[in-house]
Amino acid sequence: MRAAVIDRPGTVRSAEVPDPTPETGEVVVEVGACGICGTDLHIADGEFPPTPYPIVPGHEFAGSVVALGTGVDTGIAVGDRVAVDPSLFCGYCAPCRAGRGNLCANWGATGDTVDGAFAELVAVPARNCYRMPEDMTWQQGAMVEPVSCAVHGVRRLGVEVGESLLVVGAGPMGLLLTQLLVRSGATVTVVDRNAARLPLAEKLGASRVAGSVAELDGALFDAAADVTGAAPAMEDAFDALHRGGRFLVFGVAPAESRVALSPFRIYNDEITVIGSMAVLHSFGAALDLMASGAVHTDELVSHQLPLNEFPAALDLVREGAGTKVQVLPGLAGD
Ligand SMILES: [Zn+2]
Ligand SMILES: [Zn+2]
């Protein structure tokens, strides 16, 4: 089969590799669509420590089941159209036993620690497959994983009806968070220094948009979510919180990054700083939200490229062009 292979950091190639064979409890999925996210850039650049090389990346995907291994006990069958939760939790470490598998001490994920879905075929645990409604497209199925990250983020933040929220960053994740926060009853302001992204934020429910926190005339918020991972943006958002405010760190910053937050304010104003890491018990909810039309993702997909153009697709994400870039192995490439 064809696949995008990263042999070592800094190299990406489209290659012919052996088809995967399903192990016990696994199925093979023929990939319909797979989205690129920031983590894929980190994997390509050698900045995501758990990655073994060589690896086929790709963790936001949907496709059809084409083969079953032995011991598949979930009722999944050949021909089923599925969105796949990439999470590979060990199930026996302390966080797993406490119901917090996303913090697994032996954490893994399809496309991050084992071969993923920038390929024609990918082997995954049958238990991670969620059947898609018939009218859901591959493009939408590949958005379930990012939506499930946003669902987890909103659950971590905890939102009350009528709260004022600030979302910093209007990329795909910021726009998914915005939709869920608006649906939860919050009034949402979105800032992004890329002005081209702001009209879509408004269309998807933001009541106010701006290029930066500084342009908000000193407005204060009950909670803020950073989706940039950029220290200056985080510091500005933190300073725009009401006393008693909550600060959600949702964007992925480099591991060595540091931000300047006032410990006096955290103490004196009882500010709560909250992290949100990937997906936890939120994949099914994300699928349901999309199936019911409660969350819109079609507007967020700006580019769809064939598999052999994966290096170019990665460059589009690196340049910040458009919003969500997807790879469709079924598209005819050159
Ligand atoms: Zn991702
Ligand atoms: Zn574990």
Side-chain angles (χ1 to χ4, degrees):
M1 68 165 181
R2 299 296 294 174
V5 180
I6 299 176
D7 291 301
R8 58 184 182 280
T11 69
V12 185
R13 67 190 168 100
S14 175
E16 195 68 32
V17 300
D19 288 0
T21 39
E23 293 186 16
T24 303
E26 286 188 338
V27 301
V28 173
V29 171
E30 183 176 53
V31 179
C34 184
I36 301 183
C37 98
T39 305
D40 297 308
L41 288 181
H42 293 306
I43 289 172
D45 296 343
E47 292 169 352
F48 192 67
T51 313
Y53 297 92
I55 188 159
V56 175
H59 61 269
E60 302 178 355
F61 62 101
S64 345
V65 174
V66 292
L68 303 182
T70 57
V72 169
D73 56 3
T74 65
I76 249 22
V78 168
D80 283 351
R81 300 169 76 252
V82 295
V84 183
D85 181 349
S87 310
L88 302 173
F89 306 150
C90 77
Y92 60 81
C93 72
C96 279
R97 285 184 168 156
R100 302 187 73 176
N102 61 329
L103 307 183
C104 175
N106 307 297
W107 185 89
T110 300
D112 295 338
T113 59
V114 299
D115 284 345
F118 293 122
E120 289 175 294
L121 301 167
V122 59
V124 298
R127 294 180 176 198
N128 290 43
C129 295
Y130 289 70
R131 265 192 213 92
M132 290 163 43
E134 277 185 14
D135 59 353
M136 189 177 273
T137 62
W138 294 138
Q139 165 178 319
Q140 291 162 345
M143 289 298 289
V144 177
E145 196 272 350
V147 172
S148 69
C149 291
V151 168
H152 180 55
V154 171
R155 287 177 178 167
R156 290 280 297 155
L157 183 59
V159 182
E160 300 212 9
V161 175
E163 284 194 309
S164 63
L165 262 290
L166 171 66
V167 173
V168 182
M173 294 313 303
L175 295 173
L176 291 175
L177 271 182
T178 296
Q179 293 182 64
L180 290 172
L181 293 169
V182 169
R183 244 195 129 70
S184 303
T187 307
V188 180
T189 296
V190 176
V191 300
D192 195 303
R193 59 186 183 182
N194 181 349
R197 289 176 159 179
L198 297 178
L200 186 52
E202 276 186 305
K203 186 180 169 204
L204 295 174
S207 50
R208 188 179 179 189
V209 296
S212 69
V213 171
E215 291 171 24
L216 294 173
D217 310 318
L220 296 178
F221 301 90
D222 296 314
D226 176 77
V227 197
T228 69
M234 293 172 78
E235 289 161 3
D236 287 350
F238 181 85
D239 291 341
L241 289 172
H242 276 300
R243 299 190 77 187
R246 309 185 308 288
F247 188 64
L248 179 71
V249 180
F250 191 88
V252 183
E256 66 284 0
S257 171
R258 296 290 182 272
V259 291
L261 306 183
S262 160
F264 179 80
R265 271 208 80 201
I266 293 173
Y267 144 77
N268 192 58
D269 295 351
E270 295 195 342
I271 306 285
T272 307
V273 178
I274 304 163
S276 178
M277 157 59 189
V279 175
L280 181 68
H281 310 144
S282 52
F283 206 88
L287 188 65
D288 291 346
L289 282 163
M290 289 180 63
S292 68
V295 175
H296 297 269
T297 61
D298 285 354
E299 297 93 330
L300 306 187
V301 178
S302 57
H303 297 79
Q304 295 187 311
L305 286 87
L307 185 56
N308 60 0
E309 288 178 33
F310 178 75
L314 209 54
D315 285 341
L316 283 171
V317 178
R318 202 182 291 283
E319 292 156 13
T323 41
K324 177 59 78 180
V325 179
Q326 291 183 334
V327 169
L328 276 63
L331 272 185
D334 310 321

